[in-house]
Amino acid sequence: MKYTVLMGALLGLVILFISAQANASEGGPELKHPNISMDRKTLQKGVEVFTEICMGCHSAKYITYRELMDYPEIGLSREAVDELRGENALLTGLITELSPEDAKVSYGKVPPDLSVITRSRAGPDYVYSLMLGFGHDPDGRIPDGHYNTYFPGRNIAMPDPLSWLDHDQEDEADLKEQARTVSSFLAFIAEPHQLQRQAIGRWVILFLVLLSIVLYALKREVWKDIKH
Amino acid sequence: MIERMLNSDLAKWLDDRSKIVQMTRAHLTDYPTPKNLNYMWSFGSLALTVLILQILSGIFLSMFYKPSAVATIGGYSVAFDSVERIMRDINFGWLIRYMHAVGASAFFFVIYLHLGRGMYYGSYKKPRELLWVIGVVILLIMQGSAFFGYLLPWGQMSYWGAIVITNLFGSIPVVGDFILQLLRGGFGVGDPTINRFFSLHFLLPLVLVAIVVIHIHALHTVHSNNPEGIDISKKDTIPFHPYFTVKDALGVGIFLTIYAYFVFFNPTGWGLFIEPDNFSPANGFQTPSHIAPVWYLTPWYSILRAFPDKLIGVMAMGLSLGLLFLIPWLDRGTVRSARYRPMYRKLVVLFFIAVLVLGYCGHSAPTEALKLIGRIATAVYFAFFILLPFVSKHEKTLPVPKEI
Amino acid sequence: MADNTVDSKRRNFLWGVASGLGAVGAAGVAVPFVSSMMPAADTLAASTTEFDLSSLVPGQLVVIAWQGKPVFVVHRTPGILKRLTGYEHKLKDPESHADPRVEATWMKTSEQRLTRSIKPEYLVLNAACTHLGCIPLFKPSPGRAEWGDSVPADWPGGWHCPCHGSLYDLAGRVIDGSPAPFNLYTVPYKYLADTKILIG
């Protein structure tokens, strides 16, 4: 019994250590932490920001126009989707008009597809911070519009999409909201079933805890026969 | 109820033609098991549980996964696209994918505890040497299978991990280049590689099932060890059913609860089970800032990195795994359980700590401090094997009980 | 020491509950796996096809894909529609009753049953010959002027299957003497707008 407790405690410590390590940032400035939410209003606003601003250069090929209607969390109307997709079929992904060749010429690199971007970087908080991270280089080396506090190396090829640099104070709240909603949208499309996953998970864990309690009672009962 | 089933007419008919009832009694229901086993003995049945989960989830994933590195728009590949299709379009595909990814890590977690039990309680000592050897073979096959599997999503970590590890094999003298070409199927890691890795990833677990059967056969020939490490008489054994079926079922229940927590609420395991870089599609022209194998391979990777010479590093890594086979013969003592071997106990606990430290170092970016710590831990790791013959021959053991 | 009867009862109860929960759990695990083998979301999304009828000129036929299968869409002229009667005795199944697949829930009026379409001008039918599945050739003009001997002298206009010679009229009804047993099968469709249909 003592051993089990000791082992369990040790294991718990190891796990705590691991999670603390994993959650610690890899270095670089402390990220901003917006309220990422996946309610319909936020996600629909995020679609707007994405299609109007980001899709100028970026694609999100794993999300189709049809899914903007079909996923209940987004639930755009047929008319809204028809407006967004123009000539594109319902089942096409959100693909930008900017060809990789043209992008290379204009920006030096191809803008990455954003379908799973919040899973491959430090999450939606990083995207949010990046949007609002455009500033002036204190060393004066990196030109305005490319200096970003949060981008590794500080020199980002992407031009300030929300025009955050030197924005008017009165626009600040609106720009922050655009960044928040588009980060939430990207977090959602990175894993569209996450809300279902958590909902089902609650029931599964409940069931397994119940099962384990019953099995424990059964074990104790059966082992009454044995002197141990 | 089990008794009624085993005594039924149908069971007798089947038994006359296959000995199925006899075998069930001998190896499952009536199988004599020491009555003093603690919960550290649950990890074998847990490992079997995870193996079944992995094969089940793996077979279903392979209905939808496509092992092709052919490029698709956005810098992705057919393979990456197929995994995203599983995550988005296949009904419950996301669940099956997460079960498989979490299951891989769960498998190693369970197996390391299983090995640790063996090392602590002397379950490798006579007459269980062969059982231990078969177990180490299982570990190696698991590592191979996991390595092949990690390539399949064709993310950045998949690709670069494969480049690094196949390069390692390439550094073996004489046969290195040949093995490299065999593994890669071409000059670099590409479409031929992913296709054959998929085939091998499917094959190895099935080979594993056969070896697990042999492992259990070897176990049942010599019967289980116990925490006291002593040979016990028949009177101190109890039938496997209902005592250990129920106890193992409890172990499975608790395990599944923890497993389900990860699958449903933390499927990437804080980035340890599915690394963030693997959500970026493989890019042969851009190495990620930080390449490390998945956590369960990091201790061996750390040993590799501890040596500046590439060939020596590879040999050291191979040796670190190969020495595991020799433990039953390096240990010259007569007492099995570390409960009664205070000197050995310190040595083996140091070994466990060294493995944990090596794992941490292997996962992190190599700073000067961590490099030093990694080298010290490597030294401790090998010191275990070097000191074992001496410690076991000359240690003062505590008096071992005659019976439990 | 608890007496044995109570122990047995408790023990059996616990065995029962544990086994029951175990069975429920096993069934629960089976559900996602079996479900994964049912058509995926993207497959289902592709299970309907939209078509814009205004793209067809009068008299034109197109063959479009629905669920991967070919479907005829014809913009029939008033002339064609007038020619659909007068030869019922030459048809195997003029009223489309012979098989569930040759009729449809939208055949509500006798006109719809005759023209085998919701609106008379636009015909939407499964393009597979009901004999062995070849796609018949569209030969809309009556008589032999355009088609020569490939069609009978009293050809009303319609389809001629090149594989084994089955003949259908311009409502897809099979003509006597054809190896094909049934009229061309219907497909489920409805109008989304005046000239837009949704098949499936």
Side-chain angles (χ1 to χ4, degrees), chain B residues 75 100 143 155 211 252 275 283 317 322 343 391:
Chain B
H100 203 69
Q143 290 179 331
I211 301 190
V252 169
E275 294 166 326
N283 182 346
M317 187 175 81
M343 283 186 70
V391 168

Side-chain angles (χ1 to χ4, degrees), chain A residues 3-226:
Chain A
Y3 260 128
T4 328
V5 173
L6 197 66
M7 284 289 291
L10 195 68
L11 207 64
L13 273 172
V14 171
I15 291 178
L16 265 170
F17 179 66
I18 294 173
S19 63
Q21 276 291 303
N23 288 324
S25 55
E26 282 280 316
E30 176 76 24
L31 294 176
K32 301 193 197 287
H33 296 290
N35 178 23
I36 299 293
S37 67
M38 298 195 185
D39 59 278
R40 198 177 265 205
K41 201 151 152 273
T42 305
L43 292 181
Q44 289 191 351
K45 190 89 213 307
V47 173
E48 217 184 286
V49 176
F50 184 80
T51 50
E52 282 172 21
I53 304 179
C54 315
M55 261 182 87
C57 305
H58 289 278
S59 299
K61 80 168 194 181
Y62 292 126
I63 291 291
T64 62
Y65 288 101
R66 176 140 174 174
E67 281 164 346
L68 295 177
M69 288 192 309
D70 286 350
Y71 283 138
E73 296 88 347
I74 307 181
L76 281 183
S77 67
R78 177 62 196 255
E79 292 78 39
V81 167
D82 281 343
E83 238 192 271
L84 287 174
R85 70 185 175 97
E87 293 294 310
N88 296 309
L90 263 182
L91 289 178
T92 35
L94 303 181
I95 312 285
T96 179
E97 302 269 307
L98 180 68
S99 74
E101 295 76 31
D102 289 342
K104 267 250 171 75
V105 167
S106 309
Y107 305 108
K109 52 197 321 209
V110 181
D113 185 288
L114 298 181
S115 306
V116 289
I117 199 82
T118 59
R119 304 196 85 176
S120 65
R121 305 272 193 268
D125 289 4
Y126 173 77
V127 174
Y128 178 85
S129 307
L130 200 69
M131 296 285 103
L132 310 179
F134 286 88
H136 300 284
D137 184 0
D139 293 335
R141 271 181 288 133
I142 300 171
D144 285 352
H146 289 287
Y147 180 79
N148 190 299
T149 343
Y150 298 95
F151 190 73
R154 307 267 186 285
N155 192 349
I156 191 171
M158 171 174 75
D160 189 355
L162 297 180
S163 300
W164 174 259
L165 185 66
D166 298 334
H167 62 275
D168 293 331
Q169 248 332 91
E170 59 192 28
D171 294 329
E172 172 138 333
D174 181 53
L175 291 182
K176 279 189 168 164
E177 181 64 0
Q178 286 186 32
R180 185 192 78 90
T181 56
V182 82
S183 303
S184 300
F185 172 69
L186 290 176
F188 176 77
I189 66 170
E191 200 204 338
H193 295 285
Q194 57 193 281
L195 298 173
Q196 271 178 281
R197 158 166 70 82
Q198 288 155 0
I200 297 175
R202 281 185 270 275
W203 288 105
V204 172
I205 303 270
L206 217 67
F207 171 80
L208 285 171
V209 167
L210 177 64
L211 179 65
S212 300
I213 292 173
V214 170
L215 286 172
Y216 180 67
L218 180 63
K219 186 259 174 191
R220 291 286 295 237
E221 174 61 40
V222 166
W223 276 75
K224 276 189 190 147
D225 303 342
I226 311 293

Side-chain angles (χ1 to χ4, degrees), chain B residues 366-382:
Chain B
T367 63
E368 282 310 308
L370 281 178
K371 271 201 219 162
L372 180 62
I373 295 175
R375 288 187 174 140
I376 296 174
T378 303
V380 172
Y381 183 98
F382 283 110

Side-chain angles (χ1 to χ4, degrees), chain B residues 52-186:
Chain B
I52 293 171
L53 281 173
Q54 287 302 91
I55 291 179
L56 192 66
S57 56
I59 288 178
F60 276 82
L61 285 175
S62 72
M63 291 186 189
F64 311 105
Y65 169 74
K66 295 185 197 302
S68 163
V70 166
T72 57
I73 57 166
Y76 294 108
S77 56
V78 171
F80 196 103
D81 283 359
S82 73
V83 172
E84 280 302 313
R85 178 160 184 263
I86 288 170
M87 295 295 293
R88 291 158 196 275
D89 292 312
I90 303 302
N91 303 318
F92 294 104
W94 54 269
L95 178 57
I96 301 175
R97 195 270 174 106
Y98 285 148
M99 281 177 70
H100 203 69
V102 172
S105 285
F107 206 176
F108 280 95
F109 181 76
V110 161
I111 229 65
Y112 286 143
L113 288 170
H114 185 67
L115 260 144
R117 179 281 311 263
M119 289 179 75
Y120 189 85
Y121 292 104
S123 304
Y124 54 81
K125 290 170 84 59
K126 177 173 167 160
R128 299 182 181 89
E129 308 95 319
L130 181 63
L131 179 64
W132 169 264
V133 163
I134 298 171
V136 179
V137 169
I138 291 177
L139 174 68
L140 293 177
I141 296 182
M142 276 175 64
Q143 290 179 331
S145 188
F147 166 61
F148 292 138
Y150 204 72
L151 182 68
L152 302 183
W154 208 243
Q156 272 288 64
M157 236 7 143
S158 304
Y159 180 84
W160 289 99
I163 293 266
V164 169
I165 303 297
T166 51
N167 267 330
L168 285 182
F169 283 95
S171 71
I172 298 172
V174 184
V175 291
D177 273 328
F178 176 68
I179 295 180
L180 190 62
Q181 290 243 314
L182 264 187
L183 280 174
R184 287 184 175 176

